[in-house]
Amino acid sequence: RGTIYYWAINTGRVMRIQAGATAPDDFLGASVTCPSCHTVSANGQQLVMNEGTWPSETSFNYNLQSSSNTYSGFAVTSGSSEWALPGVSPDGTVVVENFAPLRGTIGVQTGAYNAATGAAISSTGLEGQQLYMPAFSPDSKLLAYVDSITGDLHAYDWDQTAKKATNDRVIVTSASNTTYPMIQFPTVSPDHQWIVYGRGTALGSLGVPGDLYVASVASPGTEIPLDALNGATYPFAAGSRDRDLDYEPTFAPVAAGGYFWVVFHSRRTWGNAITGPAYVAEGNGVKQLWVAAFDQAPKAGKDPSHSPFYLPGQDATTLNMRGYWALDPCKGNGQGCQSGVECCGGYCAGGAGDGGLVCASTTTGCAQDGDKCVKSSDCCGASSGVTCINGVCSAPPPQ
């Protein structure tokens, strides 16, 4: 469900792969010069990114439904990438700057900002806080980030209605892992209960080792290495060359098939189709997107990840990173659909005439898998384990 937006770094393009596509889509067109450092709202409505050649960049908010800029020219300091890799709320209305020094100076203004106008939002609780790599949960209830002083993984509770961040707390400390002390790029599960993040010896993926981990929001201090996703014990044909090369995860906003899903990029080889050194210099080596299933209800102390697969549809000749998973912009009532998650009204129901499925704002009886819900009992399969996750009826894990 949804679309994966990624950065083909050596060609300087933000690309996307839609469900079932056999090739990526350069959807921004030639009018956008060197787009980079993007974040997409979970609802697939807004794309916040830089345009231009660093350090002379402009940041703007691109409306993915109308293919236009809703606000261009976020305040940019000369020589910086101020709005690079920001936190964007799931509905695309709020932007929080990223202060992590990934390209020299990045963040300049603390607090939260209106994504449509660039105006500061008052009294959010984020004023004066320089957040590294902020990331909202897909259900708008959590804001994860890395502390700029300690390097620890933190989380705020986020009230999207009031635009307030409260209850700041440590989820995992940087010092709890001496091999990979640098925590980076957190992403939050659709139910805001789990945070997957990278650990490495330095920020980024340019020639440094790194792996992905998960922490429980409900039980701070609990960290689990994602060994299946990382391939910790997998007998890679390339041996140790393929280990410890996993970075920048992003959860899909909704569950599907009984699992959560994570896209990440890796410098591992892919059989005999994509080989070569992991890293030579910036713009060289191997860098591709992979996807892994993640258990919806992880068991305490057990790795909830599964072996990843190579993401089909991407260009194997480019260096692909920063995969960002979002839903497609929603469809209006009466448009064809396969699932309610595609629809602005939240339901995919039988249409008049030929009986085909179309988007609707109401439904008769219970909600089907993929339809809108408030609680699990709204869902048709609740007695069989279907649960309401991030406002969507979601199938139970396979038995």
Side-chain angles (χ1 to χ4, degrees):
R1 289 170 174 164
T3 293
I4 292 175
Y5 297 80
Y6 71 92
W7 188 15
I9 185 170
N10 58 323
T11 60
R13 305 300 299 168
V14 171
M15 311 289 283
R16 70 181 176 192
I17 302 174
Q18 296 176 300
T22 58
D25 175 20
D26 189 359
F27 64 102
L28 293 172
S31 62
V32 178
T33 303
C34 198
S36 65
C37 298
H38 64 290
T39 304
V40 185
S41 61
N43 68 355
Q45 190 72 33
Q46 304 298 141
L47 168 67
V48 178
M49 64 182 175
N50 286 345
E51 177 187 356
T53 304
W54 188 82
S56 299
E57 294 178 322
T58 299
S59 300
F60 64 88
N61 188 4
Y62 187 88
N63 188 309
L64 290 166
Q65 195 154 47
S66 65
S67 298
S68 65
N69 298 345
T70 54
Y71 178 79
S72 61
F74 279 115
V76 175
T77 302
S78 177
S80 78
S81 299
E82 182 179 342
W83 292 94
L85 306 175
V88 179
S89 65
D91 65 357
T93 63
V94 177
V95 180
V96 177
E97 285 194 11
N98 165 32
F99 280 78
L102 294 164
R103 302 178 73 184
T105 302
I106 294 184
V108 175
Q109 304 173 88
T110 64
Y113 293 80
N114 185 309
T117 67
I121 302 170
S122 62
S123 304
T124 62
L126 299 176
E127 293 75 20
Q129 304 301 313
Q130 296 187 359
L131 310 185
Y132 279 18
M133 296 160 283
F136 289 89
S137 64
D139 63 2
S140 299
K141 295 183 179 180
L142 203 76
L143 176 61
Y145 73 97
V146 177
D147 185 89
S148 61
I149 305 297
T150 64
D152 298 339
L153 177 65
H154 279 241
Y156 283 103
D157 292 331
W158 176 253
D159 185 328
Q160 179 60 19
T161 302
K163 305 293 190 293
K164 288 277 189 181
T166 58
N167 189 28
D168 183 23
R169 69 272 197 194
V170 176
I171 303 298
V172 170
T173 64
S174 171
S176 61
N177 186 322
T178 56
T179 302
Y180 295 136
M182 190 70 71
I183 296 175
Q184 52 194 308
F185 292 104
T187 181
V188 189
S189 62
D191 62 356
H192 76 271
Q193 295 301 308
W194 302 91
I195 303 176
V196 169
Y197 51 95
R199 274 189 179 271
T201 56
L203 285 177
S205 59
L206 297 179
V208 297
D211 279 320
L212 303 187
Y213 294 75
V214 65
S216 167
V217 174
S219 301
T222 303
E223 177 177 78
I224 303 171
L226 298 181
D227 286 345
L229 179 154
N230 293 323
T233 61
Y234 186 78
F236 288 115
S240 59
R241 175 256 178 267
D242 277 357
R243 303 192 189 282
D244 309 315
L245 295 169
D246 307 304
Y247 315 93
E248 295 188 16
T250 303
F251 271 107
V254 296
Y259 294 98
F260 298 144
W261 298 88
V262 178
V263 60
F264 63 101
H265 80 258
S266 178
R267 289 185 174 276
R268 68 183 69 178
T269 59
W270 183 39
N272 61 2
I274 300 177
T275 60
Y279 178 81
V280 179
E282 185 170 5
N284 291 288
V286 173
K287 187 180 281 192
Q288 296 282 290
L289 299 176
W290 295 72
V291 171
F294 184 98
D295 293 337
Q296 286 180 187
K299 295 180 172 58
K302 181 181 180 295
D303 175 12
S305 72
H306 297 263
S307 296
F309 59 86
Y310 179 80
L311 178 66
Q314 64 185 307
D315 187 342
T317 67
T318 59
L319 302 182
N320 307 328
M321 63 182 293
R322 181 62 174 171
Y324 208 95
W325 209 323
L327 298 177
D328 295 317
C330 63
K331 299 177 180 178
N333 289 351
Q335 291 186 269
C337 58
Q338 294 181 316
S339 172
V341 78
E342 302 172 31
C343 304
C344 300
Y347 300 99
C348 185
D354 62 5
L357 297 177
V358 296
C359 290
S361 298
T362 60
T363 187
T364 56
C366 53
Q368 301 294 326
D369 178 35
D371 280 352
K372 183 171 68 174
C373 57
V374 176
K375 54 189 183 300
S376 295
S377 58
D378 295 337
C379 305
C380 296
S383 61
S384 302
V386 174
T387 54
C388 186
I389 301 174
N390 189 19
V392 176
C393 290
S394 305
Q399 298 298 315

